[in-house]
Amino acid sequence: MGASGDLTTITDSLRELRFADDMSGRAAFDAMTALVTLRNLIEHHAATVVGHLDRLGVATDHGRKVSELLIVMGLAPAVASRLIRIAAARTKLPTLGAHAADGAISAEHVDAVGKGVEHVATRSAEPIDDPARLNVVTDLLAQFFSGATPAEIGKHARRLGNQQAEDTGGLPASEDRNLNALTHDVDGDGRLQVRADLNTEVGEKFSAAMEELAAPRPEPDGSPDARSPERRHADALEALLDIAARSGDAASAPRHQMLVSVPADTPDLAELPFMGSLTEATLRTLTCDTTATVAIVDGEQVPMEMSKEKRLFPPHLRKALHKRDQCCIKCGVAATRCQGHHLVHWADGGITVLDNGCLLCPSCHADIHHNGWEVIMGHDRHPWLIPPVSVDPKRRPIPAYNRRTLNLDNLPAAA
């Protein structure tokens, strides 16, 4: 019987496999041990077949890459990539392949060892020879047999790589720009997950920016910053994006980076091209004075109307806001990191004039639109904050940040 026939028999046997409900703990442990070995063997043979698919040009014959073919066949992208890496490494690392063929090591660990060997090789100023490569494989396999996870094997490989760089005059991983990577994916909750792997120089730039932009600032009542460190760093990243959008000119309207599509008949179904749907409250935030263009579309997604520039505060009004407010009226963040906010929203007929605007940083801007804070214009022609009941049951007006050392003679009538 050929290989395909053998696999059919094995597949049918696995489909018929059953485990008794009253099996003992020892039996369950032994069964799980056997299944782990079986899984390891299947992954090993899958990597072998992937190598044959590549050698035979099967994917090319179908107008695809090997990874694309594997994904079409039902493998997750990460699994497909792992099998391709293992298939490519097996000819260079026979010792590793022998352990995989025994079912003694999982595909994740095989991949970690293979990537670790490649990492050490790239750190060396000169190509490493077979004995040196075998030493690295042996060292990394010892990590596996001592119970290390794939991530821990990767960390150990980086230590070996740095040592290799020191010994041969190669480039340490911390300084290798070619290893830099940034990935981002939208999760099931519609949130963007970001992961970055940066060299020393770029990492220092990022850390310095975070140190400055994520610094704690007091709440309007003088209490310590209520935001967690993680929230402060996320707000700092948004500030970086806003600064980049303005090309360093804080008085200019931002360059549009977001396109918001709003169905004419159902404005509550507004959406962004990359992140998907958003609420009307967030839509109002985006259309205040941020990097968004609003397109009203018909049922066929054909734009009917584009948002007017007059909703954005033009340079002369932004300069006036900077002169009057000097900073975020709620937290005191520098004016260069603030957005213009319409006290009476543009969508509700509010006009873009100085007396209908104020400066708010993105975080405080969100508090106005989502968390119950309000802004009114006082008799002194300066903006005043009205906190939500959860902050102050009496909702007493709070002066703008740059005027909190002044007296309250000009308390607005709304108090």
Side-chain angles (χ1 to χ4, degrees), residues 31-55:
M32 192 64 206
T33 300
L35 289 171
V36 169
T37 301
L38 181 61
R39 175 186 183 271
N40 294 346
L41 288 169
I42 289 174
E43 294 268 14
H44 165 70
H45 290 302
T48 300
V49 175
V50 166
H52 289 310
L53 288 172
D54 188 23
R55 176 179 59 82

Side-chain angles (χ1 to χ4, degrees), residues 268-391:
D268 57 322
L269 298 181
E271 62 178 23
L272 296 165
F274 297 108
M275 296 298 295
S277 61
L278 66 162
T279 64
E280 287 191 76
T282 298
L283 177 62
R284 286 174 174 267
T285 304
L286 293 178
T287 55
C288 249
D289 189 41
T290 55
T291 53
T293 293
V294 180
I296 308 299
V297 297
D298 61 19
E300 301 299 326
Q301 296 297 303
V302 176
M304 301 167 58
E305 175 187 349
M306 302 296 285
S307 57
K308 309 288 193 302
E309 289 296 325
K310 66 181 181 181
R311 73 177 175 84
L312 300 177
F313 287 92
H316 73 282
L317 281 183
R318 291 192 66 85
K319 290 177 181 177
L321 288 173
H322 283 211
K323 183 173 181 60
R324 187 196 66 193
D325 297 344
Q326 300 178 19
C327 57
C328 172
I329 67 166
K330 185 172 179 286
C331 73
V333 160
T336 53
R337 292 166 49 190
C338 292
Q339 303 165 345
H341 167 71
H342 289 77
L343 277 62
V344 178
H345 197 273
W346 180 78
D348 295 329
I351 57 176
T352 305
V353 295
L354 180 62
D355 284 349
N356 192 42
C358 68
L359 292 181
L360 289 167
C361 73
S363 177
C364 294
H365 202 172
D367 283 339
I368 302 301
H369 284 275
H370 294 283
N371 299 325
W373 286 81
E374 296 179 26
V375 183
I376 61 174
M377 189 59 63
H379 294 309
D380 54 0
R381 294 189 65 195
H382 283 270
W384 289 66
L385 291 154
I386 307 295
V389 174
S390 59
V391 175

Side-chain angles (χ1 to χ4, degrees), residues 11 22 31 44 51 100 112 114 149 188-189 200 202 281 336 365 368 394 414:
T11 302
D22 59 349
H44 165 70
T149 65
D189 292 325
T200 301
V202 181
T336 53
H365 202 172
I368 302 301
K394 295 185 178 180

Side-chain angles (χ1 to χ4, degrees), residues 205-248:
K205 292 177 182 179
F206 178 81
S207 298
M210 291 295 103
E211 179 72 16
E212 176 185 356
L213 300 177
R217 40 75 170 156
E219 297 296 319
D221 62 359
S223 60
D225 195 331
R227 298 174 300 166
S228 67
E230 295 80 6
R231 167 66 190 278
R232 288 192 284 108
H233 282 83
D235 288 345
L237 178 59
E238 182 178 14
L240 276 178
L241 297 175
D242 285 345
I243 291 170
R246 296 185 187 280
S247 302

